[in-house]
Amino acid sequence: MMMKKHICTWISAAIICTTLCGTLPVSAEQAAETHAENPAEASDSCGENLTWNFDSESGTLTISGSGEMDFHGEYYAPWANLRGRIHAVSLPDGLTKIDTNAFAELRNLESVTIPESVTEIGACAFYDCTSLDEIRISDRITKVGEEILTGTAWLDSQPDGVVYLGNIAVGYHGNMPQQTEIEIRLGTTVLAENLFYAQENLCACTLPDGIIEIPEGCFSLCTALNKITIPDSVERVEDAFQNVVLPADDFGVMYVGKWAVGCNNSVDRKS
């Protein structure tokens, strides 16, 4: 299964192209036309039971309602054409999921509070929000996409090493030294997708009790990885070990704890 590692870079490139060429993708163009008659205040749906409203006087984007945010597979949020004018975002208690790229490139956004009702944050949700330096979040998050805070002032201010946001390991900051062994800190219950993707200097990792899922791409292309310790609390292992060679049994099957995660083709298998 191909990884989505470069989705945020693709989105950013597409937006740059939009700026230079003067064209918008269909969804954003339609949104611009819909709200052209009333640019001071724009609104629409952003999920089955969610609506959004933008007030130009305050620069506030307000999401109202409950349930999952859903852009129906579109790369752009319906307010993408307003991103340069949005200075604040208000999210309701009752929102359960923030969709992929929801608030990407809101470069005037300085802080955000994610309500306790939210359990899932999609990939690149706050990607390239360059002024964002304060994030308030609960410990009820159970699933996080890749690069949710890449390009933010908050992430850039973090010390080198694994970066944590509450109970979430969201990424790795800085250049990883050779022969790195990582022990994820106690209290961490969520690993972001592609957490250590292509970290070729990672050789060992220990996960704490409380981790429920090892998500897609978490250790993929970690070519030096040869040891990983996982707790009994793990209930799901996604496609997390692409192009990783771990110790295997006599039949070439690689195991992480009780989980079969792939095949080691270098093993001389028994017939």
Side-chain angles (χ1 to χ4, degrees):
M1 180 177 180
M2 297 296 291
M3 302 304 300
K4 302 180 291 180
K5 184 63 180 173
H6 303 294
I7 185 172
C8 302
T9 303
W10 184 91
I11 296 300
S12 183
I15 291 174
I16 292 172
C17 180
T18 293
T19 303
L20 296 177
C21 301
T23 60
L24 290 169
V26 172
S27 59
E29 184 174 346
Q30 289 174 338
E33 291 175 354
T34 299
H35 306 305
E37 295 179 1
N38 186 13
E41 186 170 319
S43 61
D44 206 339
S45 66
C46 54
E48 184 176 356
N49 296 304
L50 289 171
T51 59
W52 64 273
N53 176 274
F54 173 69
D55 182 349
S56 64
E57 185 174 346
S58 64
T60 300
L61 172 68
T62 300
I63 311 298
S64 302
S66 61
E68 296 186 358
M69 189 180 290
D70 185 3
F71 305 150
H72 304 290
E74 295 287 348
Y75 283 119
Y76 292 86
W79 48 82
N81 60 311
L82 300 168
R83 61 184 178 274
R85 300 164 60 192
I86 297 172
H87 290 256
V89 171
S90 176
L91 303 176
D93 187 21
L95 175 68
T96 58
K97 176 185 176 182
I98 297 174
D99 206 357
T100 299
N101 302 309
F103 306 110
E105 301 203 356
L106 300 188
R107 292 173 179 158
N108 296 314
L109 183 66
E110 296 182 355
S111 66
V112 66
T113 298
I114 298 173
E116 291 188 0
S117 54
V118 172
T119 59
E120 182 175 349
I121 302 176
C124 306
F126 296 95
Y127 180 84
D128 206 24
C129 292
T130 53
S131 299
L132 183 62
D133 62 6
E134 183 179 7
I135 305 108
R136 293 176 289 273
I137 193 170
S138 76
D139 60 359
R140 297 186 181 183
I141 303 294
T142 59
K143 189 174 182 63
V144 172
E146 64 176 329
E147 298 193 85
I148 63 168
L149 294 167
T150 296
T152 64
W154 180 86
L155 184 62
D156 291 343
S157 70
Q158 301 302 307
D160 286 355
V162 181
V163 178
Y164 300 92
L165 178 64
N167 64 318
I168 309 163
V170 296
Y172 189 91
H173 188 254
N175 295 319
M176 187 178 289
Q178 292 186 354
Q179 297 299 304
T180 291
E181 298 184 10
I182 289 176
E183 184 172 346
I184 299 296
R185 75 182 186 189
L186 292 174
T188 302
T189 58
V190 180
L191 308 176
E193 291 182 355
N194 292 325
L195 176 62
F196 295 118
Y197 183 90
Q199 291 286 3
E200 296 179 350
N201 291 325
L202 179 63
C203 65
C205 185
T206 300
L207 305 180
D209 188 51
I211 296 290
I212 303 298
E213 177 184 71
I214 302 179
E216 181 177 352
C218 190
F219 297 99
S220 292
L221 296 179
C222 293
T223 52
L225 184 66
N226 55 46
K227 181 181 179 182
I228 179 165
T229 303
I230 69 171
D232 292 337
S233 59
V234 171
E235 298 177 359
R236 294 181 300 277
V237 178
E238 302 295 344
D239 193 5
F241 295 92
Q242 293 184 52
N243 298 101
V244 174
V245 178
L246 295 168
D249 65 12
D250 292 340
F251 299 95
V253 178
M254 299 185 302
Y255 284 89
V256 173
K258 65 181 180 181
W259 301 91
V261 298
C263 293
N264 185 337
N265 293 322
S266 66
V267 173
D268 186 11
R269 303 175 187 175
K270 292 183 177 181
S271 57

